[in-house]
């Protein structure tokens, strides 16, 4: 009876995502290897939610679920990389090949590209000949290129077609892709010359020429273009699908907005994680060792910069020994500089990523950041000057910390903008490296300005 | 002749975005108030690029361009909020009302919702009666809700229709929306019951029933739902468009993937900026005063936490006075803790945003983060222990810093996960507030552990 109630509750689930009730009920049934209940509970779930479920549980629970539940192709393609290999090893060859055969070529490419050679071979062998060829051709394009992202199934017709001819042809085809949004018009050399939305085809009479109802703005994408640029173009120009061409300008595939949306989210995610020094950590299902291995290098870099800052402090050991209040206050100047620098660099890094910070406005932005640093510097100089004065009863100590604060916040605004711009020019991802450089600068300048001024003024 | 070359070069532009050459040529012509050249140079630009151009130049340049170039509706709707009011004030009432009348209702809503009352009224007055009504109805939904995001122009038909009936009806309509991807099937009470993609309609014979070719998975969105949840659903379930219903379940609008994509990007952007303590800074075109006003509160919070850390240090003034090496090394422990904490909290904040961190796996994730903190703690304890020993020739100093490092990195992993989870449960955006709490914890624990152990062990 209690079991029954749980299953009932599980059906009254969150509209989005996986409810805790359902997850617990599935795990309980999986542990008991009760296939009927597991499958009944999983049946209403979207493949994306099943993939999330598999990511959220631990290895032994995953194995228990997969013993009684046959995974399908779409769920496979939704699975996070970090557990894909593990899941593949759990599947029987029959289940794996059934699942893979359901997928379109771009999804197979996405699954296969990060696998070990033997797993890759197993999947390629499971495909039919023409699908295998399509996947192998896609894999011949560089990683993270439009060629890897595109579907090869295109819907295209000659530019002289009428609405009626297009509809008759579409009805006669057995193998239309699941999702398509345009009929692409091609010239006799199979070069795309225009895009007609399906809405326009449906809204016009049979004798209307397709080229008369083609979209005003039309863009093609080169197969070798970077996927980040493709995502940018979709977002900037509100594209819904765009034809992909090879180096001769021939139509070879199509990219649709749902693929671009995934790339756009991955790019933003990558920037967030890189800014935080988490490398390209992909998921919560990563193991402790893998996570430590990804994060330790960034902590090592931070340790090196922290030691540089300590070397600066050690120049002033005698000063600190005579005036211990300096040791108490010095982290404040460095911390404020680090924070202000992070503010500037985050804005700069994102503006570079979204192509809002360009050669045309870089000087204006640098000037703005320096001015903001100056204004904030003055505000917090006054505050900290008073705090330092009152706390230690020494007006000159207040003056020193105030001066150091202004210097460091101006430097923070300057470094926070110039460093990402320079890194970008040098083709280094500014999200990856800016933080370290900027905080090194603000630590060194902060300690040096505060302790140096103190050594001159107070002693 | 030189002028001619510049204009030529400008045409050979970047495929995406605005080339520097073109921007300079436009600014030069605008300064000379040469309307023909400005319009010739701007003619090939997409409205999104024109909006970017207006954002990248300064106020006087914007005014010069808008004096000779008539802005259209799409460009208006692409403009960043930060300069919208300024641009609106520059436009003549005639240009403004022409521009606004071109737009669909959801775009007008997007433009109008952040404007001052008098500007809002001017735009509403410019609209035709039924458009004005549609905009006013949309504005009656809460900000950031699906009701604000949706288009009210829907393409819907009864569930008993055949492909042929749908096509005949679509052909007879004069007012089809520019972009639509489904015909939504509705029951007699106008409740949506299914979605048929246009591709399926085009690919089937006239006598096929629409309900037999409707999509397997079908989701409706409530008008009061939060736009962030809508964007999540589009991304998670690969939706292309989804019907929006009111509280009675009646169809009132449709949301398309391009709108969801914009929200998804805004949400990620917001998280990035909030994590960096930049509030909701919207753009590079913000003025110095506005930018300072947004950032200063975060620096003030940071100052408060830095002062708390200083108070901890001041407890140990006597210890530091006797052993100045402590002042040199103490920022290292705090800095490493801050970095490790930021790594953990960034991963947690994003996992919460993408609904990957849930009640089902929160304990597992906390355990993982603590273990990662422990392993990294041991690694960097060994490194810093040796550095401290060698640098100051004092093995016990090395032991103290090593122990403090382990303590602080374990605490960082714990605080970096628990704090965002707790804030989320308390309905506070974890991206906004976690950073301050976590670095306060790691600063306090870092200084206290290091200086406290030193006071006990070394003196």
């Amino acid at each position: 009876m209690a079991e029954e109630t749980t299953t009932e509750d599980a059906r009254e689930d969150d509209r989005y995502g996986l409810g805790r009730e359902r997850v617990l009920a599935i795990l309980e049934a999986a542990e008991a290897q009760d296939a009927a209940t597991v499958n009944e509970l999983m049946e209403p779930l979207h493949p994306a939610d099943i993939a999330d479920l598999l990511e959220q549980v631990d290895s032994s629970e995953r194995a228990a679920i997969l013993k009684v539940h046959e995974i399908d192709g779409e769920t496979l393609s939704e699975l996070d990389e970090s557990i894909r290999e593990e899941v593949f090893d759990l599947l029987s060859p029959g289940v794996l090949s059934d699942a893979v055969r359901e997928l379109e070529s771009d999804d197979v490419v996405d699954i296969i590209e990060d696998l070990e050679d033997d797993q890759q071979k197993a999947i390629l062998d499971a495909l039919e000949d023409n699908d295998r060829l399509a996947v192998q051709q896609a894999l011949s394009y560089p990683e993270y290129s439009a060629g890897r992202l595109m579907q090869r199934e295109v819907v295209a017709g000659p530019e002289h077609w009428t609405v009626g001819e297009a509809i008759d042809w579409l009805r006669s085809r057995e193998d239309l892709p699941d999702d398509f949004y345009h009929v692409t018009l091609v010239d006799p050399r199979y070069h795309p010359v225009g895009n007609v939305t399906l809405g326009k085809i449906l809204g016009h009479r049979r004798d209307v020429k397709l080229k008369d109802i083609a979209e005003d703005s039309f863009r093609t994408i080169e197969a070798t273009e970077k996927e980040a640029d493709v995502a940018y173009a979709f977002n900037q120009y509100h594209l819904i699908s765009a034809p992909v061409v090879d180096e001769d300008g021939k139509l070879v595939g199509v990219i649709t907005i749902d693929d671009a949306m995934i790339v756009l989210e991955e790019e933003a995610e990558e920037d967030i994680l890189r800014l935080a020094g988490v490398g390209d950590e992909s998921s919560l299902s990563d193991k402790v060792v893998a996570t430590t291995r990804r994060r330790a290098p960034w902590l090592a870099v931070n340790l090196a910069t922290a030691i540089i800052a300590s070397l600066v402090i050690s120049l002033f050991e005698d000063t600190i020994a005579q005036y211990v209040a300096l040791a108490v206050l010095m982290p404040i100047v460095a911390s404020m500089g680090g924070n202000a620098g992070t503010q500037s660099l985050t804005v700069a890094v994102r503006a570079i990523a979204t192509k809002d910070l360009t050669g045309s406005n870089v000087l204006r932005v640098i000037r703005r950041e320096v001015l903001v640093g100056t204004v904030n510097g003055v505000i917090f100089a006054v505050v900290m000057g008073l705090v330092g004065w009152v706390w230690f009863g020494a007006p000159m100590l207040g003056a020193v910390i105030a001066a150091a604060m202004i210097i460091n916040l101006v430097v923070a605004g300057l470094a926070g903008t110039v460093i990402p711009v320079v890194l970008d020019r040098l083709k280094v991802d500014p999200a990856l490296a800016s933080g370290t450089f900027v905080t090194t600068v603000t630590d060194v300048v902060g300690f040096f300005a505060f302790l140096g001024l103190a050594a001159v003024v107070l002693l």
Side-chain angles (χ1 to χ4, degrees), chain A:
Chain A
M1 197 58 204
E3 179 97 41
E4 186 57 35
T5 318
T6 314
T7 318
E8 267 322 306
D9 288 352
R11 288 204 196 92
E12 294 295 313
D13 224 12
D14 281 345
R15 278 172 58 75
Y16 299 130
L18 290 160
R20 191 175 155 73
E21 289 301 312
R22 185 186 296 273
V23 174
L24 292 178
I26 291 173
L27 289 179
E28 200 179 320
E31 209 189 332
Q33 290 291 293
D34 172 357
T37 307
V38 169
N39 285 311
E40 187 202 335
L41 285 163
M42 287 176 76
E43 201 275 318
L45 293 178
H46 188 282
D49 289 330
I50 296 180
D52 281 353
L53 168 68
L54 292 171
E55 285 157 26
Q56 285 176 17
V57 302
D58 71 24
S59 296
S60 62
E61 293 166 334
R62 260 198 294 278
I65 293 171
L66 291 172
K67 232 183 225 169
V68 291
H69 175 79
E70 251 182 43
I71 200 168
D72 65 6
E74 228 187 303
T75 306
L76 269 195
S77 83
E78 298 281 352
L79 273 187
D80 194 272
E81 274 174 45
S82 57
I83 59 162
R84 244 181 224 168
E85 296 196 17
E86 181 195 320
V87 167
F88 282 22
D89 283 337
L90 291 170
L91 301 179
S92 72
V95 171
L96 184 60
S97 60
D98 283 352
V100 168
R101 267 189 224 157
E102 291 168 26
L103 294 171
E104 310 222 350
S105 62
D106 57 331
D107 292 324
V108 178
V109 170
D110 182 44
I111 287 183
I112 216 175
E113 58 189 358
D114 300 309
L115 292 181
E116 306 281 328
D117 283 351
D118 52 332
Q119 286 188 326
Q120 212 172 75
K121 191 172 171 307
I123 288 181
L124 283 173
D125 288 346
L127 294 173
E128 285 162 34
D129 287 353
N130 51 348
D131 287 338
R132 186 182 317 120
L133 194 68
V135 170
Q136 283 168 333
Q137 279 176 347
L139 288 174
S140 71
Y141 289 106
E143 251 195 304
Y144 307 114
S145 70
R148 293 271 182 115
L149 199 63
M150 72 190 184
Q151 270 165 233
R152 304 179 68 84
E153 296 85 357
V154 296
V155 179
E159 44 186 333
H160 57 72
W161 264 5
T162 62
V163 166
E165 286 171 308
I167 292 181
D168 293 342
W169 176 78
L170 288 167
R171 281 197 190 135
S172 72
R173 275 188 61 170
E174 294 291 316
D175 58 340
L176 285 178
D178 284 343
D179 298 300
F180 67 105
Y181 310 104
H182 289 111
V183 171
T184 301
L185 301 180
V186 289
D187 69 12
R189 292 172 307 160
Y190 214 63
H191 290 193
V193 293
N195 250 347
V196 186
T197 65
L198 302 188
K200 288 271 189 260
I201 294 178
L202 282 165
H204 284 87
R205 287 184 15 210
R206 287 184 62 90
D207 56 359
V208 172
K209 283 210 175 303
L210 290 189
K211 70 175 166 213
D212 295 333
I213 53 173
E215 287 190 304
D216 294 340
S217 79
F218 170 66
R219 275 160 205 279
T220 58
I221 288 170
E222 284 160 39
T224 51
E225 235 168 273
K226 279 188 290 186
E227 61 172 24
D229 289 334
V230 173
Y232 171 79
F234 268 80
N235 194 36
Q236 174 85 345
Y237 304 119
H238 310 297
L239 306 179
I240 195 85
S241 79
V244 181
V245 296
D246 65 12
E247 66 270 33
D248 301 324
K250 272 201 172 48
L251 179 64
V252 291
V254 62
I255 293 179
T256 50
I257 188 174
D258 50 321
D259 297 318
M261 192 165 174
I262 291 168
V263 173
L264 195 75
E265 214 215 348
E266 281 171 357
E267 292 289 317
E269 195 71 26
E270 193 180 89
D271 269 7
I272 295 177
L273 296 177
R274 287 184 171 185
L275 280 167
V278 199
D280 294 335
E281 189 159 306
S282 57
S283 111
L284 291 182
S285 11
D286 283 342
K287 300 270 188 309
V288 172
V289 176
T291 307
T292 308
R293 205 178 281 157
R294 284 221 187 77
R295 291 192 197 168
W298 298 104
L299 293 176
V301 171
N302 181 62
L303 183 62
T305 75
I307 290 175
I308 293 172
S310 291
L311 287 170
V312 174
I313 299 172
S314 73
L315 298 177
F316 299 96
E317 272 187 65
D318 297 343
T319 318
I320 294 171
Q322 289 175 60
Y323 211 119
V324 182
L326 297 178
V328 174
L329 294 177
M330 70 184 184
I332 294 177
V333 180
S335 158
M336 290 296 281
N339 262 263
T342 303
Q343 291 180 332
S344 296
L345 89 86
T346 304
V347 171
V349 164
R350 285 307 294 169
I352 290 170
T354 56
K355 302 191 204 281
D356 287 331
L357 180 56
T358 66
S360 312
N361 62 349
V362 64
L363 289 178
R364 179 166 319 117
V365 172
I366 290 174
R367 207 190 55 194
R368 184 190 76 156
E369 291 296 323
V370 169
L371 282 174
V372 171
T374 310
V375 177
N376 274 329
V378 170
I379 294 171
F380 291 102
V382 171
V383 175
M384 250 338 276
L386 291 173
V387 170
W389 180 1
V390 172
W391 188 347
F392 294 97
M396 284 314 286
L397 180 62
V400 165
I401 198 166
M405 187 75 83
I406 295 176
I407 293 171
N408 209 21
L409 291 206
V410 171
V411 168
L414 189 66
T417 319
V418 171
I419 287 174
V421 168
V422 169
L423 288 172
D424 183 53
R425 297 265 160 100
L426 299 174
K427 310 272 174 217
V428 177
D429 180 356
L432 204 54
S434 299
T436 308
F437 284 114
V438 171
T439 51
T440 306
V441 169
T442 52
D443 276 356
V444 167
V445 171
F447 289 129
F448 196 87
F450 178 58
L451 297 173
L453 282 173
V456 174
V457 174
L458 296 179
L459 300 184

